[in-house]
Amino acid sequence: MVDSGKPLIPGPYRVLKEIKSYRNRVFLCEDEQSWKKLAIKEQKGVFTSANELVSCCLFTRLCHLIHPNVMRMYRVECDAEDNAFLVAEFVKGKRADLLIHGTGFPAVIPEDFAFTPGLDLKKLTILRDVAAALDYIHRCGVLHLDVKPSNVIV
């Protein structure tokens, strides 16, 4: 739902701006009660109904994940048209895919790859953090199923 170009998200949220995303629309919002910045992702067509998502055991598990390398999920809001809005922590940073294509990170390691201190250390640190996050969520019984650079914030 859109009003003057901004979506009507159910709940006490004020939309500040739309954040670039591949598939679904994601908005930087402010919670009008706590003044926290939040990322709210509009989910359309994934579930047969938004109420199905609310009662979904997986979403309940997602809200209980607490790890320094995992974006915190808070709740889901539903509108009258049965659209779901996933309310999550806003993580400031850049998507890893933009770093790969924007700053010279090779998408594929070339044959003549040589260790360059600094840049390679940064890549290894990102890889270590992603592996730690995946290890944690897997031990909690959650599979990500969409691990890719555009889903990693650095």
Side-chain angles (χ1 to χ4, degrees), residues 92-105:
K92 191 172 183 172
K94 288 192 175 189
R95 293 189 336 235
D97 65 320
L98 298 177
L99 292 175
I100 290 168
H101 301 295
T103 64
F105 280 13

Side-chain angles (χ1 to χ4, degrees), residues 5 10 12 19 23 44 59 64-65 80 83 90 107 109 111 120 122 125 129 136:
I19 302 170
R23 294 187 190 137
K44 288 187 174 187
F59 190 77
H64 287 90
L65 297 176
N83 296 313
F90 172 68
I109 297 174
E111 285 183 35
D120 295 323
K122 184 175 182 177
T125 301
D129 292 347
Y136 170 75

